[in-house]
Amino acid sequence: MKRTLLEEDHEQFRELAAEFNSREIAPHYAAWDAAHMMPRSMWRAAGEAGLLGLAIPEEFGGMGIDDYRYRVVLDEEFVRCGHLGVALAFHLQDDLVLPYLLAYGSTDLKSRWLPGMAEGSTVTSCALTEPGAGSDLRGIRTKAVRDGDDWLLTGQKTFIGNGVSGDAALVLARTDGGTGRGSQDSYSLFMVSRTEGYSCGNQLDKMGVRASDTAELFFDAVRVPGADLIGELGAGLRYVKEQLPQARLAIAVAASAVARASYEQALQYATDRHAFGDNLLQFQNTRFELADMLTAAAVTELYVDRAVESFNAGELDDIDAAQVKLWASERAKEISDRALQVHGGYGYILEYPIAQAFLAARLLTIFGGTSEIMRESIGRSLAAGA
Ligand SMILES: Cc1cc2nc3c(=O)[nH]c(=O)nc-3n(C[C@H](O)[C@H](O)[C@H](O)COP(=O)(O)OP(=O)(O)OC[C@H]3O[C@@H](n4cnc5c(N)ncnc54)[C@H](O)[C@@H]3O)c2cc1C
């Protein structure tokens, strides 16, 4: 069935993204992957090409595009070209940091951060997870204590994407002075600039999406001006919950793109590879595998497309988003695994795109909330409604 999500303007944007991919990324991507880092010049080039911070209003240097379909096209292009680290790095800034600044940031915060994020001169990270607390954010220990008009921030975060390259982090911290698991209003969000006491540990050695840097962050009595509190004091967890639809939808979009790309790579390989006198499509098993993959990828695409429409209409809630993230990320994991098998030994070699897709897919059922947490959220909503 033909997809109906995208219109001509989106397809024109796709051409822009494809041209950017071949001009600015393809020649360097393998080197960035090996170095676990992308240069700032790539961010600036993306800003110049109009690919960053699409939702940033014009008054803050952006284009004010609140149609999520443009983000979908961008993700699809990065995944199709195998530039999964770029997709992840942009996702962290545009789906995980930007929405908080737009929804709850003061005009002062917006004017200080958004223009740089739109032009690519500023890179940011979203720092929620800690060594002792990921799924259970009430278990975080990073704390911010008042000191006059400022806050002193102390603690540690881990698995933070753009953590090494970033100029600032959106940080969730305990602000009620308590210890142990806090209540709903015990936590707040801050936009924390790199300054004295803010350091990052070594690069974490990830299996896949390596071009995107990931690190531990340390805060040793970092002085955070009062103006860098995002929104209301004590509203941090509420804001995180309110932003779950976009965070989860974004991962579902990437997962659907990984599923589709994996299927296409398997089909291409099965067509080109010869064994026992003909190509792999001579084997009924290969055809059946491809049929299953295509069907699952198509169902996933339609489901994700419908979720994008619902998000654009302001109707996608956190449970809808949990369902679509659960479905799409599990399908990406399964399809990339089966597509890898079709490649035989070559599937295990990292220079083959399917190996990279498989490794990227493995992340999608974990980060942004694990599949178990998605099931838990969906299940709890059933119990609440019973
Ligand atoms: C490459 C990468 C990039 C990341 N980027 C970021 C980032 O930029 N910013 C950020 O803040 N975080 C980031 N994360 C962290 C990620 O979101 C967490 O790893 C994830 O939420 C899981 O948390 P955890 O690792 O602490 O696992 P845990 O919470 O310790 O979970 C361990 C296991 O227990 C299961 N489990 C936990 N609670 C329950 C429950 N109630 N019911 C059933 N099962 C449960 C989980 O599903 C999992 O299988 C990143 C992670 C990775 C790997």
Side-chain angles (χ1 to χ4, degrees):
M1 279 179 287
K2 196 167 176 287
R3 279 174 91 190
T4 54
L5 180 73
L6 304 174
E7 295 168 13
E8 203 180 319
D9 285 354
H10 305 107
E11 294 304 344
Q12 278 170 9
F13 185 68
R14 185 187 296 284
E15 284 170 26
L16 184 77
E19 193 271 329
F20 178 81
N21 265 296
S22 55
R23 174 171 44 90
E24 295 289 342
I25 302 185
H28 315 291
Y29 191 75
W32 300 344
D33 198 72
H36 296 216
M37 179 69 76
M38 292 177 291
R40 192 58 69 92
S41 55
M42 188 280 298
W43 287 88
R44 289 214 186 83
E48 264 172 41
L51 304 180
L52 289 176
L54 304 180
I56 295 175
E58 286 179 25
E59 58 185 304
F60 296 111
M63 289 181 289
I65 298 175
D66 58 3
D67 175 353
Y68 200 74
R69 290 176 293 178
Y70 289 93
R71 285 280 305 133
V72 171
V73 166
L74 202 53
D75 250 14
E76 286 179 356
E77 281 306 299
F78 287 135
V79 170
R80 187 182 62 79
C81 299
H83 302 150
L84 297 146
V86 184
L88 176 61
F90 286 9
H91 157 70
L92 296 165
Q93 175 150 297
D94 286 346
D95 291 312
L96 298 187
V97 178
L98 182 56
Y100 291 96
L101 288 172
L102 290 178
Y104 319 111
S106 61
T107 307
D108 168 51
L109 269 174
K110 287 177 182 161
S111 5
R112 280 190 284 133
W113 291 107
L114 300 187
M117 288 164 73
E119 69 186 22
S121 57
T122 300
V123 174
T124 59
S125 61
C126 174
L128 308 180
T129 307
E130 300 194 354
S135 304
D136 179 15
L137 286 178
R138 288 194 188 186
I140 65 164
R141 292 187 177 173
T142 296
K143 61 179 182 188
V145 178
R146 270 205 196 276
D147 187 45
D149 289 342
D150 300 339
W151 294 87
L152 290 180
L153 180 76
T154 302
Q156 184 182 347
K157 298 288 177 179
T158 194
F159 304 135
I160 307 307
N162 300 342
V164 182
S165 56
D167 304 296
L170 180 127
V171 177
L172 182 72
R174 183 106 191 229
T175 42
D176 68 349
T179 54
R181 290 181 86 249
S183 64
Q184 172 75 13
D185 50 11
S186 300
Y187 308 85
S188 305
L189 285 167
F190 297 89
M191 196 66 191
V192 183
S193 310
R194 241 175 221 275
T195 182
E196 197 181 335
Y198 177 145
S199 59
C200 77
N202 292 330
Q203 283 267 18
L204 297 177
D205 194 8
K206 301 195 300 293
M207 295 161 61
V209 285
R210 291 160 78 100
S212 155
D213 61 277
T214 308
E216 287 183 300
L217 298 182
F218 300 94
F219 306 109
D220 183 8
V222 175
R223 184 164 292 279
V224 181
D228 292 350
L229 171 71
I230 295 177
E232 292 168 26
L233 183 64
L237 282 189
R238 173 160 61 83
Y239 293 163
V240 169
K241 182 170 162 49
E242 286 172 3
Q243 296 307 321
L244 286 177
Q246 181 166 348
R248 291 173 174 172
L249 175 65
I251 296 172
V253 166
S256 176
V258 168
R260 169 66 65 177
S262 300
Y263 157 73
E264 284 174 357
Q265 287 159 24
L267 175 63
Q268 187 66 53
Y269 189 83
T271 309
D272 296 343
R273 177 73 172 176
H274 280 66
F276 297 96
D278 201 349
N279 69 16
L280 303 184
L281 292 171
Q282 72 181 289
F283 303 120
Q284 187 187 49
N285 178 68
T286 307
R287 296 197 303 272
F288 278 12
E289 283 296 292
L290 288 165
D292 278 354
M293 284 184 237
L294 172 60
T295 306
V299 169
T300 303
E301 212 161 62
L302 291 173
Y303 184 24
V304 172
D305 283 359
R306 180 68 198 95
V308 170
E309 286 170 350
S310 176
F311 179 74
N312 268 353
E315 291 166 358
L316 191 84
D317 69 21
D318 58 324
I319 304 303
D320 297 329
Q323 291 174 53
V324 75
K325 194 235 177 217
L326 172 64
W327 176 269
S329 59
E330 290 292 340
R331 294 299 75 73
K333 187 170 87 171
E334 180 188 301
I335 294 172
S336 61
D337 187 20
R338 292 171 81 171
L340 187 152
Q341 186 72 17
V342 170
H343 284 70
Y346 292 101
Y348 202 68
I349 304 302
L350 283 175
E351 75 178 70
Y352 275 71
I354 191 59
Q356 300 290 344
F358 172 79
L359 292 170
R362 202 60 198 81
L363 174 62
L364 301 175
T365 60
I366 296 172
F367 100 129
T370 63
S371 286
E372 293 74 25
I373 292 299
M374 296 306 111
R375 292 187 185 102
E376 187 59 21
S377 305
I378 299 161
R380 260 193 273 119
S381 77
L382 301 178

